[in-house]
Amino acid sequence: MNEDDIHTSSNGIRHLYVHFPFCARICPYCAFYKTRGNAADLARFCEALLREAGRVAKKFPLTLETIFFGGGTPTVLSTAQLKNLLEQFHEIFDLGGVREWSIEANPGSVSAKKAAALHQGGINRISLGVQSWDNKFLRLLGREHDATQAEESFRIFRGVGFSNISVDLMFALPGQTEMQWRNSLQKTMVLRPEHISTYCLTYEQDTQFLARFERGEFAIDDENEARFLELAMTTLEQAGYEHYEISNYARPGYRSEHNRAYWRGADYIGIGPSAFSTRGLERWQNVADHNGYAQRLFANESPVGSIERLTPAMKRTEHIALGLRTREGIAAGTVDQNQAEKLISNGLLSHYANRFALTRAGKLLADSVAENLL
Ligand SMILES: C[S@@+](CC[C@H](N)C(=O)[O-])C[C@H]1O[C@@H](n2cnc3c(N)ncnc32)[C@H](O)[C@@H]1O
Ligand code: SF4
């Protein structure tokens, strides 16, 4: 059995996700749980989060190796709040084995002081939400920052000592041309981030963008999306980035350990409103409401809102869908051999070391390849 196929660890849970539910401005395409909180909400959330951290540290055997602060926008908290949270995390958890500690940062809420506090507090990886280097698209996306601020933020993080920075970009934006996407990729490469995530714009439930799509203001063009993905693969691979997951590229040695654990189905604990946790076949989610979340924790109650028991078949489906998106692919024994042979003869799948992985052509049709293998 390959290490990638081990789901549970007898030595404890190695991965922690922390959801920060606040943003300074709400982007019209985003479906993550987030809200515009006021100063009192933010302060209450910090206190509640530390209570939950204490609860999970007592309840679960944790041997943490990766931590991911996501959201929402963790950097919307003040420098003092972030500093205090980081100090308290060092008290609550044994962080001696943590190799990767990431935080999502929005260029609209970065300062040199805040960046330095994050670095001093033990965070060693930044995921910067740039999305585009073109102010016209940043306005369309409702972003709170412009391209100059995004570049300044990147340089601030570098300046305080971060040697592992990832840049998030979005493509297939309404009206975006291939040339504009190429320019965004090239501008990113000038900064030489260690990691780049490229996300195809999706029209998510309950977003303004979906409403605009339904009114016919925006359209989806599958061929266009495939061309944009291909352009990213070619441009970034030529520049020395490994395409290690459909949406992710890294310079050698900089793949995200936290995300890789998630893709291979490892157990993880999630804290904060709306966060998911998974252990074996059990999955649970905290309430997606920052007030309810804080109230429960202040009343010494669990913030878990729902629990689901997966069947082995559900786990297998997820394992195939997620694993196939990665460069390592999936163990050959986990899927139907006849279907796999067909996909290999169609040039969509490759067979190596008893594993199946998507070919370049397969990456452009990842979802339908996965469906064929289930
Ligand atoms: C939790 S969000 C962001 C971090 C931070 N709040 C920010 O926006 O800068 C993580 C990433 O998901 C991507 N994303 C969010 N909604 C998306 C959508 N509807 N389609 C494609 N990518 C999306 C964006 O690239 C974003 O940076
Ligand atoms: S994309 Fe980021 S900043 Fe925008 S609403 Fe979503 S989480 Fe908040």
Side-chain angles (χ1 to χ4, degrees):
M1 187 187 253
N2 188 295
E3 202 256 330
D4 283 354
D5 298 314
I6 299 171
H7 295 172
T8 50
S9 155
S10 53
N11 296 327
I13 297 175
R14 297 184 264 175
H15 312 285
L16 178 70
Y17 172 75
V18 185
H19 192 82
F20 291 74
F22 302 109
C23 295
R25 202 202 272 189
I26 303 300
C27 307
Y29 55 85
C30 176
F32 291 98
Y33 170 62
K34 78 282 161 190
T35 180
R36 285 185 57 192
N38 58 32
D41 291 334
L42 267 63
R44 232 160 81 88
F45 162 74
C46 289
E47 223 180 303
L49 184 69
L50 289 173
R51 288 201 180 205
E52 192 189 9
R55 283 174 77 96
V56 302
K58 267 203 211 118
K59 184 165 179 186
F60 297 103
L62 301 173
T63 47
L64 294 180
E65 294 174 7
T66 72
I67 305 178
F68 195 99
F69 278 11
T73 306
T75 51
V76 100
L77 297 188
S78 69
T79 302
Q81 284 170 326
L82 286 165
K83 228 172 157 170
N84 182 48
L85 279 185
L86 296 177
E87 279 167 15
Q88 295 297 318
F89 267 51
H90 284 275
E91 296 285 319
I92 295 169
F93 298 111
D94 176 359
L95 301 181
V98 171
R99 295 193 303 271
E100 179 185 289
W101 191 346
S102 302
I103 187 167
E104 284 182 335
N106 184 318
S109 54
V110 175
S111 68
K113 234 168 105 187
K114 198 177 279 184
L118 297 175
H119 194 246
Q120 281 155 17
I123 289 181
N124 60 12
R125 183 172 181 276
I126 299 294
S127 173
L128 187 63
V130 172
Q131 321 309 350
S132 170
W133 293 105
D134 184 328
N135 285 334
K136 185 179 83 184
F137 289 115
L138 290 174
R139 279 193 296 275
L140 176 73
L141 293 171
R143 300 292 294 178
E144 57 163 323
H145 58 87
D146 61 17
T148 307
Q149 266 173 299
E151 182 168 351
E152 270 168 22
S153 300
F154 187 93
R155 295 191 191 283
I156 285 175
F157 283 122
R158 270 283 188 261
V160 302
F162 281 99
S163 55
N164 190 356
I165 306 182
S166 178
V167 166
D168 281 357
L169 297 174
M170 290 167 68
F171 66 89
L173 304 174
Q176 191 179 30
T177 63
E178 266 186 77
M179 181 60 92
Q180 286 166 327
W181 176 227
R182 189 194 306 271
N183 288 344
S184 244
L185 291 166
Q186 267 156 2
K187 166 73 195 171
T188 307
M189 286 186 305
V190 170
L191 296 172
R192 299 291 297 150
E194 283 64 35
H195 187 282
I196 302 174
S197 299
T198 61
Y199 298 113
C200 182
L201 172 66
T202 52
Y203 294 90
E204 303 283 347
Q205 283 303 324
D206 300 323
T207 61
Q208 273 184 36
F209 262 35
L210 180 64
R212 294 184 70 177
F213 172 76
E214 286 170 348
R215 288 201 296 269
E217 288 177 41
F218 300 150
I220 294 176
D221 178 342
D222 290 341
E223 281 177 23
N224 207 26
E225 290 179 359
R227 274 200 303 274
F228 278 55
L229 173 58
E230 204 159 8
L231 184 59
M233 288 196 283
T234 310
T235 314
L236 297 176
E237 280 172 346
Q238 273 170 6
Y241 289 88
E242 296 166 342
H243 190 203
Y244 74 105
E245 196 267 348
I246 294 274
S247 304
N248 289 283
Y249 302 81
R251 277 159 53 186
Y254 290 98
R255 297 179 186 190
S256 162
E257 285 307 317
H258 185 88
N259 289 343
R260 291 181 78 205
Y262 167 72
W263 295 323
R264 68 171 179 261
D267 293 341
Y268 61 89
I269 294 294
I271 62 175
S274 84
F276 280 98
S277 303
T278 180
R279 195 179 184 199
L281 291 175
E282 234 181 326
R283 175 169 307 163
W284 60 98
Q285 186 184 18
N286 281 351
V287 286
D289 157 25
H290 69 95
N291 281 317
Y293 169 80
Q295 267 162 19
R296 286 182 182 216
L297 284 155
F298 292 143
N300 261 330
E301 288 169 12
S302 161
V304 174
S306 60
I307 303 178
E308 183 187 13
R309 196 162 171 83
L310 303 180
T311 61
M314 285 159 83
K315 191 91 180 171
R316 173 178 168 271
T317 301
E318 276 185 10
H319 183 62
I320 293 171
L322 290 174
L324 210 53
R325 292 174 59 92
T326 66
R327 193 183 179 100
E328 290 80 18
I330 49 176
T334 51
V335 292
D336 182 277
Q337 302 301 301
N338 290 333
Q339 284 296 341
E341 289 304 328
K342 271 192 217 155
L343 292 162
I344 289 171
S345 62
N346 290 340
L348 299 174
L349 208 60
S350 68
H351 193 183
Y352 79 98
N354 221 16
R355 299 185 76 76
F356 292 129
L358 293 173
T359 59
R360 200 176 169 80
K363 287 176 183 175
L364 304 177
L365 296 167
D367 291 344
S368 70
V369 174
E371 270 169 36
N372 274 288
L373 286 172
L374 293 174

